[in-house]
Amino acid sequence: MPELPEVEVVRRGLEQGVAGRTVTAVEVRHPRAVRRHVAGEADFRGLLEGRTITSAERRGKYLWLPLDSGDALTGHLGMSGQLLVVPGDKPDETHLRLRFRFTDGGRELRFVDQRTFGGLAVVAGGAALPSTIAHIARDPLDPAFDDEAFVRALRARRTVVKRALLDQTLVSGIGNIYADESLWRARLHGARPTELITRPKARELLAHVRDVLSESLAQGGTSFDALYVSTEGVSGLFERSLNAYGREGEPCPRCGAPVRREAFMNRSSYSCPRCQPRPRPGRG
DNA sequence: ACCCACCCCTGGGCGC
DNA sequence: TGCGCCCAGGGGTGGG
């Protein structure tokens, strides 16, 4: 479950469900799930068993669980990953990849991932900020996010605005849904060159990004299907609040024009043809 | 710094 | 029923 609200919902579930607990056994059901742990499965298990998880952290779409050893169990859900906290006697999910049992004998942690784009790894000394995540920018809901630095960096880019929003090293947590929703709110077409976006417009766009992300978080995120759920298996409700994403041919909630869908970066982009006119070549 | 093409996977939906 | 496409909230890589 990809974007910031969905990942934050999972982080909160992990904080409630596994922080303070000690790992007793790790079962690797599919090697791809730990492929980013280059030292291999046995090393992965060895660094976890007997360790206590101290909290649950997130940067952008990455999660990590600091351990009392000073290491961190890091994770990315990819396109279809789930971290579930479930009773041990619950039947295994079809795409169960990893299982973590705890010394208290309570609910276990499962990593379930249909497409296996996601995965977990232990990063040595990564409790504060894992080195493998350090290249990711802060997200707009992070209290330490620097708005003016973002505005400057955005305008300094020589690219188009949707590509910039999706660049996790510039601003993190935004994926295809929330990029399109933010651009719709800002009345900007994603192909607008970043250097032609004025400072006020950039600040307005950032405010819309922040609003969309926090409104979605308040609704538990966006869930088109059962793939995107919390640690408790619960789906979010923000889909009903989407104005552009996935609404091809349906009326723009603002002006009534049918929402268009275009290919961009090998993905679909949804926008209003009237509120978000395509930039003319060579202009803003 | 940035763009592009392509890779990693499984499964659902659709047209034929 | 089956097959072959196309599609899907992700990121990483290597070449230009």
Side-chain angles (χ1 to χ4, degrees):
Chain A
M1 359 193 129
E3 308 182 45
L4 186 152
E6 297 79 35
V7 179
E8 174 61 16
V9 165
V10 171
R11 189 201 65 76
R12 292 176 181 181
L14 293 171
E15 193 164 58
Q16 285 294 310
V18 303
R21 302 176 69 197
T22 301
V23 178
T24 185
V26 178
E27 185 183 345
V28 177
R29 300 285 303 266
H30 195 302
R32 260 186 69 75
V34 293
R35 70 192 179 285
R36 301 263 172 217
H37 190 92
V38 290
E41 272 183 49
D43 187 74
F44 178 79
R45 289 198 309 270
L47 292 171
L48 286 165
E49 290 171 359
R51 299 271 65 94
T52 300
I53 294 167
T54 60
S55 64
E57 311 292 332
R58 179 186 59 76
R59 176 165 291 201
K61 304 169 195 171
Y62 284 85
L63 292 161
W64 78 94
L65 301 173
L67 306 173
D68 61 350
S69 58
D71 299 337
L73 173 59
T74 66
H76 196 290
L77 302 173
M79 290 286 273
S80 55
Q82 304 173 338
L83 284 165
L84 305 172
V85 180
V86 299
D89 60 2
K90 184 172 183 291
D92 290 355
E93 292 76 7
T94 304
H95 303 293
L96 176 65
R97 309 304 189 193
L98 304 171
R99 185 200 318 275
F100 304 83
R101 291 197 173 91
F102 297 90
T103 53
D104 56 26
R107 296 193 298 170
E108 60 186 43
L109 175 64
R110 295 181 184 177
F111 180 62
V112 176
D113 191 6
Q114 176 196 102
R115 294 174 69 183
T116 69
F117 287 176
L120 276 66
V122 177
V123 175
L129 178 62
S131 56
T132 50
I133 301 176
H135 65 294
I136 300 296
R138 291 184 186 275
D139 67 65
L141 301 188
D142 185 328
F145 187 86
D146 186 333
D147 287 24
E148 288 310 304
F150 167 77
V151 168
R152 280 194 302 274
L154 178 77
R155 288 161 42 82
R157 289 290 170 100
R158 293 296 176 264
T159 186
V160 296
V161 64
K162 182 165 178 180
R163 190 180 297 278
L165 289 180
L166 294 175
D167 182 347
Q168 305 297 303
T169 67
L170 177 66
V171 54
S172 71
I174 307 166
N176 209 31
I177 292 180
Y178 300 113
D180 279 2
E181 291 299 305
S182 301
L183 291 166
W184 180 87
R185 292 189 184 203
R187 295 179 165 87
L188 284 173
H189 189 281
R192 291 280 287 277
T194 46
E195 73 263 36
L196 297 178
I197 294 180
T198 64
R199 284 180 190 81
K201 196 66 184 178
R203 291 188 194 105
E204 184 200 326
L205 175 60
L206 175 57
H208 287 308
V209 168
R210 204 168 257 140
D211 287 349
V212 169
L213 294 176
S214 49
E215 288 168 27
S216 178
L217 180 55
Q219 295 290 311
T222 303
S223 307
F224 295 122
D225 55 45
L227 235 43
Y228 305 100
V229 295
S230 71
T231 54
E232 308 297 313
V234 176
S235 292
L237 303 175
F238 194 68
E239 180 190 2
R240 63 183 64 166
S241 303
L242 297 177
N243 292 301
Y245 187 88
R247 301 190 65 248
E248 182 182 18
E250 294 176 54
C252 166
R254 197 161 43 208
C255 78
V259 168
R260 77 177 151 213
R261 174 178 157 198
E262 314 172 272
F264 179 77
M265 290 175 73
N266 291 326
R267 294 218 159 86
S268 294
S269 289
Y270 299 88
S271 59
C272 172
R274 193 178 299 166
C275 303
Q276 301 167 266
R278 195 194 313 276
R280 284 187 284 162
R283 314 233 347 210

